[in-house]
C-alpha cells in the first residue's frame, strides 16, 4: 500500500531530550493523563487497522479528554524505519504511533527509532504477560520492550491452492518442490520482508526440513536456503506483497501460493479469492506464530506518550480484543486470554461461521507453536533471502 497523502504535520516533539534519542529521559515525567487532549497520527504498516481501528475509535469516543483527533495513514513495512529516522533526524515527530508486524518491529529496533515501553511503563499495563495467551506472551518477549502486542495468531505456513488444478496438495516440502518442477511458474509466495505468509513460510521451513538450528538463519539453515534456491528455479517472480499473490491465484496465473489462516479466510470473505480454494499443511507441521504491535517512535512529548499508553491499555481490554476477530484477517486475532468468538461483533461471528475452516481449530490444538525469529535474526533472514533467493526476481513479473 502506498503511503497515504497528506499525513498531518502533528505536534512537534517537546519532551526533554535524553540519552534515549529524544524520549523523555525519566518515564515518570509522563503523566497518567495528558494535560490537554492531543492529536495522534497513526501509521499502519501491517494492515492492522482492519483489526484495531474500531478499538481506537471507541477509545476516542469514550475519552475526549485524552484524544481530540486521530489521523490514519498506511505505508509498506519496509519504509517505516526510514520514515521514522528522517522525522527524528529533522527534529519533528510527525508519526506518533505505529501499528506493525514483526517486520517493522525488527527494522525499528535495528535502526534505533523506537522508544522503550517496557519495563519503563510496566505500571500502565498491570499483569500484561499473565493476561496474554501463552504463545502470545512469547511473541511479546520478541519486542525486547520496544512495543506492546495488540493482536496474535498462529499463522502458518499453509498452502492455498485451486483444487481444480491441484487435486492433491503437497504434504511435505519435497512434494511441493516436485509439484513446482512439474508445474513451473504456477507456485508463488511474496517477499518475506513485506508478507506475513512469505515470512511464515521462510521461518517455518527449518522445522519442516529438520534444519540444524531453526532460530539461526545465518548458520543453521543450510537445508532451507538450498531448498529455496532450488524452488526458486520454478518461481516466476516474488511479488512485493501478499495481496498480489491472492489476485494471481484468483486469476489463474498461479495455482498455489503460501498463505496463513487469516490470509485464507479474509480474501475469501472479501471476494478477492473464490470460496472454492482449499488449504493444506505440510508435515512435520509446526505453526509459526505471528503478532502485531503498537510501537511508539522516539521524540514524542510526555502528553503524547501519556495518551498513547492509555490507548494501548484500552486496546488490551477483553471487550476490545474481541473486535480483533474482525473478518478473519488475523484469525483468531485476540492476544489476551479468554476472548471467545461469542464476544465478537455479530458480523465477525457470521464471517467465521461462513468462511472459517473447522480443521483450523484442530490443527491449532494439535501442532506445536514456534515464535517468529527475534528481531535481529529476522533482519538477517530477510537480508539473506534477498541475497540468495530473491535476486532479480523480486517484484518483477
Amino acid at each position: 500500500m502506498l503511503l497515504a497523502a497528506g499525513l498531518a504535520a502533528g505536534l512537534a516533539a517537546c519532551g526533554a531530550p535524553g540519552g534515549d534519542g529524544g524520549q523523555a529521559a525519566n518515564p515518570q515525567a509522563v503523566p497518567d493523563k495528558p494535560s490537554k487532549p492531543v492529536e495522534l497520527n497513526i501509521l499502519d504498516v501491517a494492515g492492522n487497522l482492519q483489526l484495531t481501528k474500531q478499538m481506537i475509535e471507541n477509545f476516542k469516543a469514550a475519552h475526549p479528554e485524552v484524544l481530540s483527533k486521530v489521523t490514519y495513514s498506511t505505508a509498506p513495512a519496509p519504509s517505516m524505519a526510514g520514515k521514522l529516522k528522517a522525522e527524528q533526524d529533522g527534529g519533528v515527530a510527525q508519526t506518533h504511533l505505529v501499528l506493525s508486524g514483526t517486520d517493522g518491529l525488527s527494522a525499528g529496533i535495528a535502526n534505533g527509532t523506537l522508544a522503550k515501553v517496557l519495563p519503563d511503563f510496566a505500571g500502565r499495563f498491570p499483569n500484561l504477560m499473565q493476561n496474554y495467551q501463552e504463545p502470545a506472551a512469547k511473541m511479546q518477549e520478541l519486542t525486547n520492550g520496544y512495543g506492546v502486542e495488540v493482536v496474535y495468531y498462529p499463522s502458518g505456513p499453509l498452502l492455498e491452492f485451486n483444487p481444480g488444478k491441484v487435486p492433491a496438495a503437497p504434504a511435505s516440502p519435497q512434494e511441493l518442490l516436485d509439484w513446482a518442477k512439474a508445474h513451473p511458474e504456477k507456485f508463488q509466495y511474496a517477499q518475506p520482508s513485506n508478507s506475513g505468509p512469505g515470512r511464515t513460510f521462510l521461518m517455518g521451513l527449518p522445522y519442516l526440513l529438520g534444519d540444524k538450528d531453526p532460530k539461526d538463519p545465518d548458520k543453521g539453515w543450510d537445508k532451507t536456503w538450498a531448498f529455496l534456491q532450488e524452488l526458486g528455479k520454478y518461481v516466476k517472480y516474488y511479488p512485493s506483497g501478499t495481496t498480489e499473490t491472492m489476485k494471481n491465484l484468483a486469476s489463474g496465473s498461479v495455482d498455489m501460493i503460501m498463505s496463513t489462516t487469516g490470509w485464507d479466510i479474509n480474501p475469501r470473505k472479501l471476494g478477492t479469492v473464490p470460496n472454492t480454494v482449499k488449504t493444506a499443511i505440510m508435515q512435520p507441521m509446526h505453526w509459526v506464530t505471528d503478532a502485531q504491535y503498537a510501537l511508539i517512535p522516539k521524540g514524542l512529548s510526555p502528553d503524547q506518550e501519556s495518551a498513547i499508553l492509555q490507548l494501548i491499555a484500552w486496546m488490551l481490554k477483553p471487550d476490545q480484543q474481541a473486535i480483533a476477530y474482525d473478518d478473519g484477517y488475523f484469525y483468531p486475532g485476540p492476544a489476551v486470554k479468554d476472548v471467545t468468538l461469542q464476544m465478537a461483533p455479530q458480523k465477525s461471528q457470521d464471517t467465521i461461521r461462513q468462511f472459517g475452516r473447522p480443521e483450523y481449530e484442530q490443527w491449532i490444538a494439535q501442532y506445536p507453536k514456534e515464535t517468529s525469529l527475534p528481531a535481529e535474526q529476522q533482519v538477517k533472514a530477510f537480508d539473506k533471502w534477498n541475497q540468495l533467493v530473491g535476486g532479480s526476481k523480486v517484484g518483477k513479473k
Side-chain angles (χ1 to χ4, degrees), residues 33-295:
K33 292 185 178 181
S35 59
K36 61 181 180 180
V38 303
E39 296 184 15
L40 292 183
N41 296 325
I42 297 178
L43 174 64
D44 176 17
V45 298
N48 179 269
L49 285 171
Q50 188 164 319
L51 308 171
T52 61
K53 186 175 182 180
Q54 190 58 54
M55 302 178 197
I56 297 166
E57 290 297 316
N58 289 349
F59 179 80
K60 181 173 172 286
H63 293 283
E65 78 285 2
V66 177
L67 286 188
S68 60
K69 182 180 179 181
V70 180
T71 302
Y72 302 101
S73 62
T74 60
S79 71
M80 181 208 88
K83 173 178 169 55
L84 295 185
K85 190 169 192 317
E87 291 180 11
Q88 291 165 19
D89 287 349
V92 177
Q94 296 176 310
T95 303
H96 308 133
L97 176 64
V98 179
L99 302 172
S100 172
T102 54
D103 42 11
L105 168 70
S106 302
I109 292 175
N111 82 338
T113 51
L114 301 178
K116 190 90 167 176
V117 181
L118 299 167
D120 305 47
F121 296 106
R124 312 289 177 110
F125 308 103
N127 301 313
L128 178 68
M129 298 302 284
Q130 295 90 331
N131 290 338
Y132 281 133
Q133 299 183 55
E134 183 182 351
K138 292 180 180 178
M139 288 300 294
Q140 173 60 30
E141 291 173 0
L142 296 183
T143 68
N144 295 328
Y146 286 95
V148 179
E149 181 180 359
V150 290
V151 293
Y152 153 83
Y153 79 135
S155 178
L158 302 179
L159 294 168
E160 185 166 338
F161 58 95
N162 175 354
K165 299 290 187 178
V166 187
S172 68
Q174 184 59 52
E175 288 187 18
L176 172 61
L177 181 58
D178 292 344
W179 187 91
K181 284 182 181 179
H183 305 85
E185 300 187 354
K186 289 296 185 178
F187 169 77
Q188 188 174 67
Y189 64 98
Q191 297 169 39
S193 64
N194 197 42
S195 167
R199 64 177 173 271
T200 301
F201 179 44
L202 180 64
M203 291 186 282
L205 273 172
Y207 298 99
L208 287 165
L209 294 169
D211 237 329
K212 185 168 62 177
D213 185 352
K215 296 297 187 185
D216 185 355
D218 190 31
K219 296 184 171 58
W221 285 18
D222 291 351
K223 294 177 182 178
T224 295
W225 297 124
F227 175 86
L228 288 173
Q229 287 177 308
E230 183 65 21
L231 182 65
K233 295 176 182 178
Y234 313 102
V235 175
K236 186 176 182 180
Y237 77 104
Y238 302 99
S240 60
T242 312
T243 298
E244 188 173 343
T245 68
M246 294 288 162
K247 291 178 178 178
N248 290 342
L249 179 64
S251 72
S253 61
V254 298
D255 296 328
M256 184 158 46
I257 61 175
M258 294 311 303
S259 191
T260 64
T261 58
W263 272 103
D264 164 43
I265 295 170
N266 188 248
R268 286 188 290 119
K269 155 68 176 173
L270 298 176
T272 308
V273 175
N275 198 24
T276 52
V277 300
K278 301 293 184 185
T279 58
I281 54 176
M282 294 181 283
Q283 296 294 353
M285 175 64 178
H286 287 239
W287 290 102
V288 175
T289 60
D290 200 1
Q292 293 178 352
Y293 305 89
L295 311 178

